[in-house]
Amino acid sequence: IASETNKVTAQLEAVFKNLQTRREESAHLHYLLVERAEAAAGKILELEKDIADLQEELGDNEGELKHLRLRMRAVETLCGEFVRCNAKRGGVIDPDLVESIERWKSDWAKLREKMAAKKNEKRKAR
């Protein structure tokens, strides 16, 4: 009985030692997972702030573009009336004015295309 008791005790000690080793490994893995989860949460918060900043910037830019578009329409309307009235009176149409307006329209179209392309790229990146 004593030898079997010693044998069972030795087996229990081995099982206990294995369980302790597994517990230490489990605690270490848990620590690593918690550390990585906290780092990921921090990164998520940074990215959310970046997104909010970019959305605010985008809203500002869109507002500015709308304002510029309205101003261009006003200039176009006023100049168009001036050019038509001047032409009816036999006056000379200012080619620099017409060229400037056309160049501005072209630049405006390019800017809109560029913004639309960036917006599409961001959507695709998601």
Side-chain angles (χ1 to χ4, degrees), residues 38-94:
E38 287 174 351
K43 185 68 175 176
I44 288 170
L45 291 175
E46 287 177 29
L47 292 173
E48 285 177 345
K49 185 183 180 317
D50 290 346
I51 288 170
D53 291 344
L54 289 171
Q55 286 174 335
E56 182 179 338
E57 184 180 337
L58 180 63
D60 293 344
N61 289 340
E62 285 178 349
E64 186 176 342
L65 287 173
K66 284 179 185 178
H67 175 72
L68 289 172
R69 186 181 306 129
L70 288 172
R71 289 193 64 184
M72 181 58 197
R73 293 284 184 236
V75 168
E76 225 175 15
T77 301
L78 292 173
C79 290
E81 288 176 17
F82 172 75
V83 168
R84 282 189 299 277
C85 288
N86 199 21
K88 284 180 184 177
R89 292 184 198 148
V92 179
I93 298 173
D94 184 359

